[in-house]
Amino acid sequence: MLGLALRTLRSRLSGFVGAFVALLCAAAMVTACGILLDTGLRGTVPPQRYAGTPIIVAGDQEVHWTTSKDKGDGEVKEKTKSKPLTERAWIPADLAAKVAAVPGVAAVRTEVTFPATVIGAPGDGESWGHGFESAPLTPYALATGAEPKTGEVVLDAHSGAKTGDTVRVLTADGVGEYKVSGITATALDGQSSVFFSTDEAARLARAGQLTAIGVVPAPGTDTGALADAVRAALTGTPGKVYTGDDRGRLEFVDADAARVKLISMGGAIGGSALLVAILVVVGTFALSMQQRHREIALLRAIGATPRQMRSLIGREALLVGATAAPLGALAGIGLGVWLGSRFRDLGVLPEALDLVISPFPPIVAALATLLAAFVAARVSARGVIRVRPTEALSESGSAAPRVGVARILAGLLAVAGGVVLLIVLSGLRTEPAAGPVTFLTAIVWVVALSLLGPLLARAVAFLLTPVLSVLLRAGGYLAAKTARAQARRMASVITPLGLLVGMTATILFVPTTMGDAAADDLRAGTLASYTVAGHVPSSTAEAIRAVPGVTAATESLTTTVRVGQDKYRAQGLSAQNLTLTVDPGVVDGSFSLDGDHAAISSLAADQRGLSVGDKFTVTMGDGVHVELTVSAIYSRHLGFGDLLLPYPVVAAHVDTPLASTVLVSGTADAAALRAAAGPGLAVLNGAETADARDAAASANAEVQLIAMGLIIAFAAIAAVNTLAMATADRARELALLRLIGTTRRQVLLMLRTETAVAVVLAAIVGTGIALATLTAFASGMTGAARPGFELGTYAVIVGGAAALAWIATVLPGRVALRRQ
């Protein structure tokens, strides 16, 4: 049977090209997503700042909670979960003495870390300030000059400064002038270091707290044993011991969050891509089986059993898959590297987190592709090989085999599943829950289209026959009759086009739906005339408040916090004259952020069961628990986040306690505000603020577009692939039409008309799928059934689908006619 499969492949090579292309692309997609997933699971971050110190003591960079589940019979199962913090955790300074007292510790090096940027210095990475006593942790060594004293700084080798220069340094305390006392011989990639005197660093950092303690082992001390001893000495304290690559995870606090995001992104994209790949491969093999209907029927007529046919077709699929899967997996490695570089450019993948390239993703992708090929071939051939031998030849000549009852029932079941998913989606109010369901809903509707497509194509062709016959005469009549007779072929063409239109519109318009709703919230809730944007110290905010005509200047600082296990976007706002700059749409209570008062969105309040006056505990980004009181519940959570907190509370628990924006109300003009703000800060009016917000939203949407663009590209390739296969197989039919007197122009008109009908029908169905899915998504996420459809983008989607269909249909048709 294997020999027969090989001979079949050689004799019908062109018929298997489409399946080969589909499987190759599927393997490449799964490999690329697997690389992202593998990086999230096993990616390491080598230390830089802490590379010279084998043992580091710092705060726990994860938040932990324990859940209990009653299993009955008095047995309770407890499970501990943890998630990475979004900010740096600090530890008490008195832990240094406890660590220093451990036998085998020769010395300890304490460190504080705070934002410090030399204004005008080269480089676009992060810049942090430290006390010079922590320089040996890397180690940093002086190339020129001396240790800093009060009013002095030491800069790294990339600063471009020289000993004796005077520089201006931006810290949370404002902009200050410092003399450069020395330049280090060392510089790190992607981050700059500014060293202050010990007293100055303590003043600029958190009083009585440290970010890290470096442990210097005594000569001859076993590092592993010393780490265990330090760990034991710190039992019951906030300190945690870090060694090896864990020092890199401590140093780059965003690395763990990025790994979690890569895991969820790689899993979600890979799962969606695999579903789409299976759908496309099944459709490709189904078209191939239709094209081989006469051949299979002949084999059945001369005595081949269904079991033998299944074995033959399965082995053919495995042979094609065995060729396509390794090539696709290899191509997927390059695709994964490209994805990693794009995500790195967009800030999703930190510079310090190396992409993991291992054999596992290609191997898994190749095996998954082989399995998909085998299953797709067996499913596609099911109806063909069950033809009775006595009916085989007559059936093979039939142009319009019946659609099986099982297929109709499966299609109706898919429709029912799509309806259920739409109902579920319309009730989901959080993006982590709604995102996967959104794309699953679109895929289920496409599955329904692929199953019921022949019935739909036949019905449309029947209705269009008189219209096309009148409008386009012979060409239109032939197109309508052919579409009706070859409903399965028409359905196999409509499905990938409908998938292309529906999935592309869904992927592109989910971000615009959310972005439009968030922009509406901000537009309605922002009362300020101007926005000062940048890193704004409190001293500058006070200077802005002193400008004549300014009635309110609200400092704003964003962060991410947890209430219980739930993660929320939060915003710190200064309380003075707050209601003159911000209106979050209060529905209950009085909007006040004085003291320990906080406002919470109606969505978060419902989730947590909170009312005005209730107390609740917030886990800040650095892991510190803060108890607050609900002062108000508001409705505009898409624009303002789920929690509005007092600005001092947020500033005390973030790595960069500088306001990201200051909202300014009053009659002051922009020139006066720019003078008060100083260089490096932008003063934006309402329109400019909206433009900046749209640009930021576009950057976030680009991440999702690149991630889901694989599916769009695969859908486009599948559409071209299927159309080209369908057209190339019609050489005999086109030759017969020419023999009976049909002109070349009439044949081409028939092909163009068939393509136009397929494109229009696919556009209608694909648009319907996208609109239904996006409407349900918008209902749940924004509270209004208003999807963010952009007509220009939609026209490009449909136009692109039409162009691809024309290229894949008319061009092969012209080639086939030239051979006549």
Side-chain angles (χ1 to χ4, degrees), residues 343-402:
F343 286 148
R344 204 179 295 280
D345 292 341
L346 293 169
V348 176
L349 187 66
E351 290 289 341
L353 182 59
D354 296 328
L355 203 66
V356 175
I357 307 295
S358 73
F360 298 109
I363 291 173
V364 171
L367 293 176
T369 303
L370 280 173
L371 180 61
F374 183 76
V375 172
R378 297 288 288 259
V379 170
S380 303
R382 182 182 176 89
V384 178
I385 64 178
R386 298 181 94 179
V387 177
R388 290 193 298 271
T390 55
E391 300 176 358
L393 291 177
S394 60
E395 184 74 11
S396 70
S398 174
R402 288 186 323 236

Side-chain angles (χ1 to χ4, degrees), residues 500-512:
L500 177 60
V501 173
M503 288 299 294
T504 304
T506 301
I507 290 168
L508 293 182
F509 296 144
V510 160
T512 59

Side-chain angles (χ1 to χ4, degrees), residues 474 478 734 736-747:
L478 286 172
L734 299 182
L736 180 61
L737 288 172
R738 293 286 285 123
L739 285 173
I740 63 174
T742 309
T743 66
R744 187 170 180 274
R745 181 179 178 182
Q746 288 172 331
V747 173

Side-chain angles (χ1 to χ4, degrees), residues 322-717:
T323 307
L327 295 176
L330 289 175
I333 295 175
L335 182 60
V337 171
W338 178 82
L339 277 178
S341 67
R342 292 298 299 126
F343 286 148
R344 204 179 295 280
D345 292 341
L346 293 169
V348 176
L349 187 66
E351 290 289 341
L353 182 59
D354 296 328
L355 203 66
V356 175
I357 307 295
S358 73
F360 298 109
I363 291 173
V364 171
L367 293 176
T369 303
L370 280 173
L371 180 61
F374 183 76
V375 172
R378 297 288 288 259
V379 170
S380 303
R382 182 182 176 89
V384 178
I385 64 178
R386 298 181 94 179
V387 177
R388 290 193 298 271
T390 55
E391 300 176 358
L393 291 177
S394 60
E395 184 74 11
S396 70
S398 174
R402 288 186 323 236
V403 179
V405 174
R407 178 168 183 162
I408 295 174
L409 291 177
L412 294 176
L413 186 61
V415 170
V419 171
V420 170
L421 285 173
L422 288 175
I423 295 171
V424 171
L425 183 60
S426 64
L428 298 177
R429 301 179 65 187
T430 61
E431 274 194 274
V437 177
T438 301
F439 299 113
L440 178 61
T441 302
I443 290 172
V444 169
W445 278 107
V446 173
V447 170
L449 170 63
S450 67
L451 292 170
L452 301 178
L455 296 179
L456 180 64
R458 196 170 295 164
V460 170
F462 176 78
L463 294 174
L464 289 180
T465 299
V467 178
L468 294 177
S469 300
V470 172
L471 293 178
L472 301 176
R473 298 188 179 179
Y477 175 81
L478 286 172
K481 287 295 185 180
T482 304
R484 186 176 175 185
Q486 297 288 350
R488 285 181 182 269
R489 185 173 65 198
M490 176 65 77
S492 67
V493 169
I494 292 171
T495 298
L497 288 173
L499 172 66
L500 177 60
V501 173
M503 288 299 294
T504 304
T506 301
I507 290 168
L508 293 182
F509 296 144
V510 160
T512 59
T513 298
M514 291 296 294
D516 290 349
D520 289 344
D521 275 6
L522 285 170
R523 195 162 32 246
T526 302
L527 309 179
S529 305
Y530 292 97
T531 298
V532 180
H535 290 305
V536 187
S538 295
S539 57
T540 302
E542 289 298 331
I544 291 172
R545 291 189 182 99
V547 173
V550 173
T551 57
T554 301
E555 297 164 89
S556 172
L557 183 58
T558 58
T559 187
T560 302
V561 301
R562 289 185 184 273
V563 181
Q565 299 182 28
D566 297 323
K567 193 174 182 180
Y568 295 106
R569 286 189 305 129
Q571 190 173 175
L573 298 174
S574 52
Q576 184 179 355
N577 296 327
L578 177 61
T579 55
L580 297 180
T581 58
V582 173
D583 175 17
V586 174
V587 295
D588 191 15
S590 177
F591 186 34
S592 170
L593 299 181
D594 290 317
D596 67 344
H597 289 89
I600 186 170
S601 71
S602 54
L603 172 62
D606 290 343
Q607 289 177 333
R608 308 303 308 175
L610 295 173
S611 304
V612 173
D614 289 348
K615 292 185 178 296
F616 66 108
T617 300
V618 175
T619 303
M620 304 301 294
D622 61 353
V624 175
H625 301 295
V626 176
E627 187 175 68
L628 299 169
T629 303
V630 177
S631 65
I633 296 175
Y634 59 91
S635 60
R636 294 180 178 135
H637 67 279
L638 293 175
F640 291 93
D642 293 297
L643 289 170
L644 297 177
L645 309 178
Y647 183 84
V649 171
V650 174
H653 299 286
V654 295
D655 293 342
T656 306
L658 296 163
S660 54
T661 59
V662 176
L663 304 175
V664 182
S665 290
T667 58
D669 61 17
L673 291 175
R674 289 191 183 94
L681 298 176
V683 178
L684 310 174
N685 59 28
E688 292 168 335
T689 301
D691 290 342
R693 192 162 51 237
D694 291 343
S698 297
N700 292 332
E702 187 177 353
V703 174
Q704 186 168 358
L705 178 57
I706 290 174
M708 303 303 290
L710 293 177
I711 298 176
I712 296 175
F714 188 40
I717 292 170

